[in-house]
Amino acid sequence: MSEQTTEDGDGGGATIDALLAEHRTFPPPAWIKKEALVTGTFLYDEAARDDQGFWARQAGELLDWEREWDTICDWQLPYSRWFVGGTLNVAHNCVDRHVAAGRGDKVAIHFEGEPGDERTVTYAELLDEVQRFANALKDLGVQAGDRVNIYLPMIPEAAVAMLACARIGAAHSVVFGGFSSQALADRINDAEAKVLITADGGHRRGEVFPLKPAADEAVASTSTIEHVVVVRRGGNDVEMVDGRDHWYHELVAAAAPDCPAAAFDAEQLLFLLYTSGTTGKPKGIMHTSGGYLTQVAFTHKYVFDLHPETDVFWCTADVGWVTGHSYVVYGPLANGASIVMYEGVPNHPGNDRFWAIVEKYGVTIFYTAPTAIRTFMKWGAEEPAKHDLSSLRVIGTVGEPINPEAWMWYHVNIGGERCPIVDTWWQTETGAIMISPLPGATTTKPGSATFPLPGITAEVVDEAGAPVTVGGGYLTLTRPWPSMLRGIWGDPERYRETYWSRYPDRYFAGDGAKLDEDGYLWLLGRVDDVMNVSGHRISTTEVESALVSHPKVAEAAVVGASDAMTGQAIIAYVTLRGGADVPIGELREHVAKEIGSLAKPKTIYLTPDLPKTRSGKIMRRLLRDVAEGRNLGDTTTLADASVVDEIQRRAADTPAEG
Ligand code: ATP
Ligand code: MG
């Protein structure tokens, strides 16, 4: 890595400086190319000639339609409709058709509970349970177009509940089981949901965490819930309200076994999902059926180079996040894959739990988040080394920029230096992966998400909206895509304002990005987080990556805080690898050496942890509040409030290092 300046480095175009230069490259391994679905550029070429025709071909080949569409895409900025006039049933596509094709005995879900219990669900069993539960929902009065809230641990019933809603044309709104009753109540009220599906409790960190009491509290402050369905999982005592509350197992046992999968419009609302809330108040993102399922099936197949006969796919995300919707449930099941679903935390009973699961089920494709990888780095390479990970073929990441050193750690210690890594950029709003390598076709660079997928057009633009060819700027999408959000529930104004007001004719993703000389895309973090130091626009990602490239650093978050001298000064919060110690001055010099002295943090605080959302993303806006001595903004999506208290305490105690 070397120091490098850019044309806009003096603040002229005022986009974002490109400081980090990463020169390592990893071509697709020969053993992957031999069996890969894609090795050349044919998909890209086809999509470049006619993107709508390309998506129509995918929709036709990957899914079963009851009625074919009349129009591929109706685009009236900022609203798109895809496969207009077409009808399909999402649950039929994820379950029934695999059974009808003779694959009923194939495993759909390998479930592993945190206490170590197992359950295998075949496609035939899944079909039976989805039909029965769909009938149970109908019996409770749920109709097409209604909203149903789901508040469950990571158990097979979560997938069953989602598919049962889809089967009868009701929209689900899944709320992560770790959220408070208040967060659940807000989401129920926003969606005006009729039914809530929850559990007595689930297993986490070796204990039973109760869910039902939080669900009861939430329902008490909502007026639309008529029935609550309770899955028995934790075994903890719960109170059941007569007439309102029902045990899941009793409903399923009593329900009629056959529930025909009626076809719905391609634009039928499939789900609402609230964003992680990294930057502010969560938004209720709307996704519909035909376009969404087309793109999740397409991306799941090609980005992970899926061979459904032999692959065992494990996406570690919770179903409460979009990654869990698209790559635990809808993508893999639409493709007839076998998935692993794990209930608990990665460090119970030991720090090697994930690797024990990979070995036990022979996982071939593994998909996780950079925050998890940095945690594994903190725990040390000896944890994965305890297990045979040779079944792995393709490994992926999503959720945040991956620092090049974290990428290398993943490559060496999990991928055994033989598995291609797919760094996938996308958002709740995009519904499916947008920017990513293809394992058999793309030469990767550590830390780069590489190129837009076939059928997707992304451009980096400057402040004025002019495309940047080399250097930093703002990530935009220029063409509609099948799984794009259809709006923000109940708030069309916020929809226009957030995504469509900054540039005419472009979707503004809210992320910074740069293009290198080879046309590779590098995500630079949130635009709101970009720091302005002496007229230089510096991304948080590059300074954090420079810090993480120090051998003793596991994780870092940087923010810009107002500074009389330089406009903003860089403040860094750094977590060291297990047992390490390092002088602050050494870290500052390390950054200067890696990316230049203008990016040298003014102050560095060592901290045992960083404030994160419940999905594990660093919340820099809270660190900025701390650094500038403000009251904290919206903290409802914060995973652990004590982390911020600790950082505030340290900030008050430690004299600034300058
Ligand atoms: P909110 O919009 O409420 O602030 P959020 O943006 O964290 O929450 P998500 O939709 O879960 O909610 O996250 C999408 C964001 O995650 C992207 O906009 C981007 O900032 C980040 N991201 C996801 N994947 C990647 C990746 N591979 N590389 C870099 N950043 C990524
Ligand atoms: Mg976002």
Side-chain angles (χ1 to χ4, degrees):
M1 275 176 259
S2 65
E3 193 172 326
Q4 167 183 306
T5 54
T6 57
E7 286 112 277
D8 57 28
D10 299 317
T15 52
I16 305 175
D17 287 10
L19 301 174
L20 195 71
E22 170 60 64
H23 297 296
R24 292 170 285 197
T25 57
F26 295 83
W31 74 281
I32 289 288
K33 283 177 83 167
K34 225 163 53 191
E35 306 278 331
L37 301 175
V38 184
T39 51
T41 60
F42 71 96
L43 281 181
Y44 296 93
D45 300 339
E46 179 195 348
R49 282 192 300 273
D50 171 14
D51 60 347
Q52 292 196 3
F54 169 81
W55 285 118
R57 180 172 78 80
Q58 298 304 333
E61 287 179 12
L62 295 170
L63 305 182
D64 269 6
W65 296 78
E66 171 82 16
R67 181 185 186 279
E68 201 175 321
W69 52 90
D70 308 308
T71 307
I72 301 171
C73 174
D74 171 35
W75 175 223
Q76 315 216 3
L77 191 137
Y79 291 101
S80 75
R81 293 188 303 150
W82 282 81
F83 309 117
V84 183
T87 65
L88 78 170
N89 185 287
V90 168
H92 162 85
N93 274 281
C94 292
V95 190
D96 305 42
R97 62 175 174 148
H98 307 312
V99 178
R103 293 190 294 273
D105 292 338
K106 186 174 163 61
V107 174
I109 304 173
H110 294 281
F111 170 69
E112 165 113 348
E114 199 193 66
D117 55 320
E118 293 167 39
R119 180 177 161 200
T120 304
V121 183
T122 65
Y123 273 96
E125 290 163 347
L126 187 61
L127 176 58
D128 181 57
E129 196 160 327
V130 168
Q131 293 197 80
R132 286 173 182 275
F133 191 53
N135 279 330
L137 289 176
K138 279 195 204 165
D139 293 344
L140 294 178
V142 178
Q143 295 173 355
D146 287 344
R147 273 83 55 210
V148 171
N149 257 90
I150 299 176
Y151 183 59
L152 285 172
M154 273 298 276
I155 52 178
E157 288 81 357
V160 171
M162 291 162 78
L163 292 165
C165 289
R167 190 172 197 89
I168 60 174
H172 53 71
S173 169
V174 183
V175 176
F176 174 54
F179 270 132
S180 66
S181 60
Q182 186 57 51
L184 174 61
D186 290 347
R187 287 161 179 73
I188 290 173
N189 284 329
D190 195 59
E192 298 179 285
K194 220 174 183 174
V195 167
L196 171 62
I197 303 165
T198 187
D200 51 358
H203 298 268
R204 214 174 160 72
R205 244 177 275 284
E207 285 169 18
V208 171
F209 70 95
L211 270 176
K212 179 69 167 47
D216 285 337
E217 215 177 297
V219 172
S221 52
T222 60
S223 57
T224 55
I225 295 291
E226 295 168 10
H227 294 282
V228 178
V229 180
V230 186
V231 179
R232 182 173 279 158
R233 171 61 193 162
N236 47 313
D237 282 341
V238 296
E239 275 171 40
M240 298 290 278
V241 177
D242 228 21
R244 186 198 74 177
D245 297 356
H246 315 270
W247 285 107
Y248 172 92
H249 59 271
E250 290 176 1
L251 292 182
V252 165
D258 298 315
C259 176
F264 293 97
D265 197 276
E267 285 298 330
Q268 179 81 6
L269 186 67
L270 179 62
F271 63 84
L272 296 180
L273 182 62
Y274 293 79
T275 52
S276 320
T278 309
T279 53
K281 183 173 172 278
K283 308 169 270 282
I285 302 298
M286 297 162 66
H287 281 290
T288 58
S289 302
Y292 171 79
L293 200 63
T294 297
Q295 195 173 331
V296 295
F298 169 79
T299 49
H300 178 255
K301 176 174 174 179
Y302 289 102
V303 169
F304 299 105
D305 189 43
L306 182 76
H307 292 66
E309 303 309 318
T310 47
D311 276 323
V312 178
F313 180 84
W314 184 21
C315 165
T316 65
D318 190 279
V319 288
W321 315 119
V322 72
T323 308
H325 283 60
S326 301
Y327 301 104
V328 174
V329 180
Y330 290 114
L333 299 181
N335 289 330
S338 298
I339 66 160
V340 168
M341 188 186 241
Y342 169 57
E343 180 185 30
V345 296
N347 54 347
H348 183 82
N351 289 350
D352 63 338
R353 183 65 183 271
F354 272 22
W355 320 122
I357 292 173
V358 168
E359 179 172 8
K360 176 171 172 187
Y361 296 98
V363 172
T364 59
I365 306 171
F366 178 74
Y367 191 33
T368 197
T371 187
I373 296 168
R374 292 186 305 254
T375 304
F376 301 142
M377 286 169 72
K378 213 164 19 174
W379 291 342
E382 59 275 18
E383 299 297 341
K386 289 177 192 161
H387 297 277
D388 177 4
L389 305 182
S390 62
S391 57
L392 289 172
R393 220 162 48 73
V394 176
I395 57 179
T397 72
V398 59
E400 287 180 298
I402 180 160
N403 318 105
E405 280 322 307
W407 194 103
M408 289 303 300
W409 190 94
Y410 197 36
H411 170 68
V412 172
N413 296 292
I414 308 304
E417 299 184 62
R418 91 189 167 271
C419 300
I421 295 181
V422 288
D423 170 3
T424 64
W425 178 88
W426 59 296
Q427 309 176 297
T428 307
E429 294 89 337
T430 70
I433 299 170
M434 303 291 280
I435 301 173
S436 170
L438 297 182
T442 314
T443 293
T444 54
K445 300 185 183 187
S448 169
T450 73
F451 308 105
L453 289 175
I456 303 300
T457 39
E459 278 181 359
V460 178
V461 298
D462 66 15
E463 208 71 59
V468 168
T469 43
V470 176
Y474 306 114
L475 182 66
T476 64
L477 303 166
T478 59
R479 300 272 296 154
W481 62 99
S483 64
M484 72 187 285
L485 75 168
R486 301 304 197 254
I488 295 179
W489 182 253
D491 202 346
E493 205 29 62
R494 192 174 180 203
Y495 175 60
R496 268 180 199 278
E497 170 62 31
T498 309
Y499 309 106
W500 304 98
S501 64
R502 181 136 170 182
Y503 301 107
D505 303 336
R506 289 173 184 276
Y507 172 89
F508 173 55
D511 285 347
K514 70 176 182 187
L515 281 163
D516 71 14
E517 315 70 45
D518 303 324
Y520 280 68
L521 273 162
W522 301 75
L523 275 300
L524 295 179
R526 319 273 174 173
V527 167
D528 307 345
D529 293 335
V530 170
M531 305 173 288
N532 198 329
V533 182
S534 308
H536 290 271
R537 306 259 301 156
I538 299 176
S539 83
T540 50
T541 301
E542 294 201 320
V543 180
E544 289 164 5
S545 289
L547 284 162
V548 173
S549 75
H550 187 286
K552 289 182 178 164
V553 173
E555 190 155 42
V558 305
V559 296
S562 321
D563 185 271
M565 290 291 292
T566 54
Q568 281 189 325
I570 301 178
I571 313 295
Y573 302 84
V574 170
T575 304
L576 299 178
R577 294 200 195 196
D581 196 16
V582 63
I584 299 296
E586 185 179 320
L587 294 178
R588 297 180 68 235
E589 286 317 313
H590 182 76
V591 174
K593 179 170 83 41
E594 289 294 306
I595 58 173
S597 47
L598 68 96
K600 195 151 82 169
K602 182 177 179 194
T603 310
I604 296 181
Y605 297 107
L606 296 180
T607 158
D609 226 326
L610 296 169
K612 292 181 183 168
T613 62
R614 284 167 213 266
S615 57
K617 298 175 192 226
I618 298 172
M619 260 160 118
R620 291 176 195 76
R621 64 182 165 87
L622 294 186
L623 292 172
R624 213 157 43 226
D625 292 341
V626 171
E628 296 188 335
R630 262 193 310 276
N631 288 334
L632 299 184
D634 187 339
T635 53
T636 52
T637 59
L638 188 65
D640 178 0
S642 70
V643 175
V644 187
D645 298 341
E646 173 67 15
I647 287 173
Q648 277 176 317
R649 200 184 54 71
R650 287 183 187 224
D653 287 357
T654 325
E657 308 262 352

